[in-house]
Amino acid sequence: QVQLVESGGGLVQAGGSLRLSCAASGRSFSSYAMGWFRQAPGKEREFVTAINWSGGTTSYVDSVKGRFTISRDNARNTVYLQMNSLKPEDTAVYYCAARLSTWSSSKYEYPHWGQGTQVTVSS
């Protein structure tokens, strides 16, 4: 089915920026909504942002509004997460997820997941 591969994570100082990428492969790419989730140590996986692959609708969790931007490049079947003004509390493993429907903020509604990429923001 659909395979997702994240990249772009790393170590950055507070106030810095990173851009994560999620490359998708499989069938019916344009019909999938894409989401970004993150999971900090000892915490549950939480919603960050999502976008409809074809429709372009976006949504963000309040804690990242104004700092993070989700975008897509349909020609390259890739979704991006631009993260600016990073804070230590942004430290987590970031996961890309796909859903054959419109976007959702619920991790339970995404059947396809990438392996995750570590983002560490130093204080």
Side-chain angles (χ1 to χ4, degrees):
Q1 44 189 4
V2 175
Q3 289 189 317
L4 307 173
V5 179
E6 303 98 331
S7 62
L11 175 64
V12 64
Q13 293 183 337
S17 299
L18 285 173
R19 189 176 79 158
L20 307 183
S21 298
C22 175
S25 62
R27 300 182 183 275
S28 303
F29 300 131
S30 64
S31 64
Y32 284 89
M34 306 296 296
W36 286 100
F37 293 77
R38 64 186 181 185
Q39 187 167 18
K43 297 184 178 180
E44 295 187 14
R45 193 170 302 182
E46 66 175 357
F47 171 79
V48 177
T49 183
I51 187 171
N52 287 334
W53 188 260
S54 298
T57 303
T58 61
S59 183
Y60 300 89
V61 67
D62 287 345
S63 60
V64 308
K65 287 181 178 178
R67 301 189 297 118
F68 291 10
T69 303
I70 188 171
S71 62
R72 71 187 191 279
D73 186 337
N74 287 342
R76 301 177 65 176
N77 293 320
T78 302
V79 174
Y80 304 96
L81 181 63
Q82 179 66 47
M83 305 185 295
N84 298 326
S85 301
L86 283 163
K87 304 175 181 179
E89 50 263 45
D90 295 319
T91 295
V93 177
Y94 283 71
Y95 296 91
C96 177
R99 180 171 184 257
L100 190 58
S101 184
T102 54
W103 70 267
S104 172
S105 62
S106 174
K107 60 181 179 289
Y108 304 109
E109 297 182 357
Y110 288 85
H112 310 290
W113 295 85
Q115 82 289 347
T117 184
Q118 177 71 49
V119 172
T120 302
V121 184
S122 62
S123 60

